[in-house]
Amino acid sequence: MDQELILAAQGVRYRYPGATGDALGGVSLTVRRGDLVAVLGPNGSGKTTLLRVALGALVAGRPAAAWTRRELARLVGVVPQREETVFPQRVREAVLLGRYPHLSMFGAERPADHEAVNRALAQCDAGHLTGRWMATLSGGEYQRVRVARALAQEPRLLVLDEPTMSLDVRHEMELFELVRGLVDRSALAVVLVTHHVNLAARFADGVLLLDGGRAAGEGVPAEVLTRETVERVFAWPVAIATYQGAPQMIPLRRRSDA
């Protein structure tokens, strides 16, 4: 039986004001409950633009415009690529902000809200960080806390835009394993934008490969990430090896005598 459809954006087209061409040209993105879908592509291929436009499409069977902002925030948790922290916050305070869509009109926190925060912190292995100031966290800790804040919303769809940017290998792997675990344990739907082709191939159920605002391939990693397609999209010679059933891209040197 097919899993519940969570996000459906079909034939998305978008042009920025004043631009002469489309930033997105007929791209589709479909995500079901229990799926981890990675959006890949070179810089400027439309990955982040697709996320922004797709979230205005069909969510949980209804047009996004049919949901109130509060209702939509209960359905979708977003971890953006960048954000500004205006006021100093401790970790627990930051994660508690994820409960905003569930608070009453008076903004009073209930025991259920604190329980949701505790669960989110535990899911992200961040419970020991609750008393720390956000500014004192390492890059990996900071990203786990941001994911915990999104999980505190108790969403059905988690959207992450370049969550491993500037992280070292250990923290990249920890974050991908965290997200994969959330999908497997909670049947969460996840869309993850990343430049890490090899990690996406190992952890994602499906990939959408963008090139110039258009889909160059969509499906399971082994079918999409072929040598011919990867070389064409990224404009660089590669070899493709298989590790644990997943295609792994090896960039080649152009000079054979180097």
Side-chain angles (χ1 to χ4, degrees):
M1 182 181 296
D2 288 340
Q3 295 278 36
E4 177 189 6
L5 184 64
I6 300 297
L7 177 66
Q10 302 297 322
V12 174
R13 292 187 177 275
Y14 183 77
R15 179 177 296 189
Y16 286 104
T20 57
D22 290 341
L24 295 171
V27 180
S28 298
L29 177 63
T30 300
V31 188
R32 295 183 179 277
R33 185 172 182 262
D35 276 352
L36 168 52
V37 176
V39 181
L40 308 173
N43 291 336
S45 59
K47 299 185 297 297
T48 297
T49 302
L50 175 61
L51 281 191
R52 292 170 180 164
V53 178
L55 290 178
L58 189 69
V59 180
R62 288 169 57 188
W67 301 97
T68 67
R69 289 178 64 89
R70 186 179 288 260
E71 288 173 334
L72 197 58
R74 293 174 184 169
L75 289 169
V76 184
V78 179
V79 180
Q81 191 175 126
R82 297 180 180 88
E83 63 183 78
E84 296 290 335
T85 302
V86 179
F87 302 105
Q89 289 180 321
R90 294 189 186 274
V91 165
R92 187 173 188 83
E93 296 168 341
V95 177
L96 189 57
L97 290 176
R99 295 304 296 169
Y100 167 76
H102 299 271
L103 297 181
S104 69
M105 63 180 294
F106 302 106
E109 299 147 9
R110 304 157 300 166
D113 297 311
H114 291 284
E115 290 168 6
V117 168
N118 291 338
R119 283 195 301 272
L121 287 165
Q123 285 177 297
C124 295
D125 191 25
H128 62 292
L129 302 174
T130 54
R132 294 266 301 276
W133 292 101
M134 292 289 289
T136 70
L137 302 179
S138 70
E141 291 169 338
Y142 182 71
Q143 289 296 72
R144 292 208 308 274
V145 169
R146 295 176 73 215
V147 174
R149 183 185 62 198
L151 291 179
Q153 295 172 224
E154 298 182 300
R156 294 161 68 184
L157 171 66
L158 179 64
V159 176
L160 304 106
D161 190 1
E162 295 284 1
T164 60
M165 187 170 59
S166 302
L167 297 185
D168 59 28
V169 172
R170 171 192 165 187
H171 291 108
E172 287 173 351
M173 285 296 295
E174 285 180 345
L175 196 136
F176 268 87
E177 290 195 331
L178 164 64
V179 174
R180 182 71 251 178
L182 291 170
V183 172
D184 292 340
R185 290 190 302 270
S186 307
L188 192 65
V190 174
V191 178
L192 186 150
V193 168
T194 181
H195 281 289
H196 288 285
V197 175
N198 288 342
L199 291 182
R202 291 176 65 188
F203 286 90
D205 299 298
V207 297
L208 170 61
L209 181 60
L210 296 182
D211 183 19
R214 288 168 171 76
E218 180 181 10
V220 297
E223 294 178 358
V224 175
L225 300 175
T226 64
R227 181 180 64 81
E228 294 80 7
T229 300
V230 171
E231 286 188 340
R232 174 169 51 83
V233 170
F234 291 96
W236 196 266
V238 302
I240 299 291
T242 300
Y243 178 73
Q244 295 182 339
Q248 296 292 281
M249 178 184 71
I250 305 165
L252 304 178
R253 298 185 66 173
R254 275 188 167 155
R255 289 182 57 191
S256 60
D257 61 340

